[in-house]
């Protein structure tokens, strides 16, 4: 049995170039959802270099990455891979679905 999906927002509330944070209802994990040119991606809202919220940083929709405000580590929002030091480890990526005009995510680890 898979974990239940957590409601994030309506599709109208997450426009291209925007991000929104939610907590997984089962695990309590903070998840940040990105709208990159109409495609939705979700990452754990935690820098792999330092335990700090990625959602506090800058989402560069043109480059498809998010920068941790603490030390400048950047991550690809599509797959969570680290793009530059000081981070070398990826951040967890989570599934996103759109159903009946709503955006949903879950921690499937």
């Amino acid at each position: 049995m898979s974990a239940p999906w957590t409601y994030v927002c309506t599709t109208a509330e997450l426009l291209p170039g925007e991000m929104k944070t939610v907590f997984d209802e089962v695990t309590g994990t903070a998840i940040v959802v990105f709208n990159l040119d109409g495609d939705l991606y979700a990452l754990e809202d935690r820098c792999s270099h330092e335990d700090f919220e990625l959602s506090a940083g800058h989402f560069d929709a043109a480059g498809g990455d998010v920068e941790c405000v603490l030390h400048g580590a950047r991550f690809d929002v599509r797959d969570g891979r680290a793009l530059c030091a000081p981070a070398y480890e990826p951040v967890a990526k989570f599934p996103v679905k759109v159903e009946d005009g709503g955006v949903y995510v879950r921690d499937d680890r």
Side-chain angles (χ1 to χ4, degrees), residues 19-21 30-32 34 44-46 52-59 66-69:
M19 63 179 165
K20 192 158 194 75
T21 304
I31 299 174
V32 59
F34 302 91
E44 185 171 6
D45 192 15
R46 186 186 65 79
F52 198 79
E53 301 89 8
L54 289 176
S55 60
H58 173 69
F59 170 36
V66 62
E67 181 177 1
C68 178
V69 71

Side-chain angles (χ1 to χ4, degrees), residues 7-15 18 20 35 40 98-104:
Y7 177 77
V8 179
C9 62
T10 67
T11 54
E13 294 174 294
L14 187 59
L15 301 176
E18 295 181 344
K20 192 158 194 75
N35 185 330
L40 301 176
V98 175
E99 188 174 274
D100 297 326
V103 177
Y104 297 85

Side-chain angles (χ1 to χ4, degrees), residues 35-49:
N35 185 330
L36 181 62
D37 295 327
D39 293 321
L40 301 176
Y41 302 95
L43 301 176
E44 185 171 6
D45 192 15
R46 186 186 65 79
C47 178
S48 64
H49 164 253

